[in-house]
Amino acid sequence: GKQVKPMLLKTYFLNKTDNVSVMRSFNNACVVLWPDGIEYDRVWLVLADQASYMLLAIANLKSMYSNLKHVTCIAQALHRVCEAIKDEYSYAN
């Protein structure tokens, strides 16, 4: 019933960006939030880009986090649109 203050749980600087590293980082951040055991049903949303490794990681995470939904970051979505326009119209570059 009360509004929750936004917080940053953890920041990772990955040497290798692949779906396994993303999944491990996601789970580790949940351990920070719930040190006595991850409350899988309380994780509802992940905001990420549509890179193939992110889509695979999120698809795999959905098997553990039953309520998890993926929302594409609007900045990433706009970037993809701009890249498509640039590819289609060389003068737009």
Side-chain angles (χ1 to χ4, degrees), residues 35-92:
D36 295 330
I38 298 173
E39 298 183 25
Y40 295 96
D41 60 331
R42 293 191 60 195
V43 180
W44 287 72
L45 185 74
V46 61
L47 176 67
D49 63 9
Q50 289 189 337
S52 59
Y53 64 90
M54 288 300 293
L55 295 176
L56 182 56
I58 294 166
N60 291 332
L61 286 167
K62 284 182 177 184
S63 66
M64 294 184 288
Y65 299 88
S66 58
N67 296 321
L68 188 65
K69 303 288 186 242
H70 172 229
V71 175
T72 302
C73 175
I74 189 69
Q76 293 290 333
L78 289 173
H79 180 262
R80 289 178 64 104
V81 169
C82 292
E83 288 292 322
I85 291 170
K86 184 179 82 170
D87 291 344
E88 187 70 29
Y89 302 98
S90 61
Y91 291 118

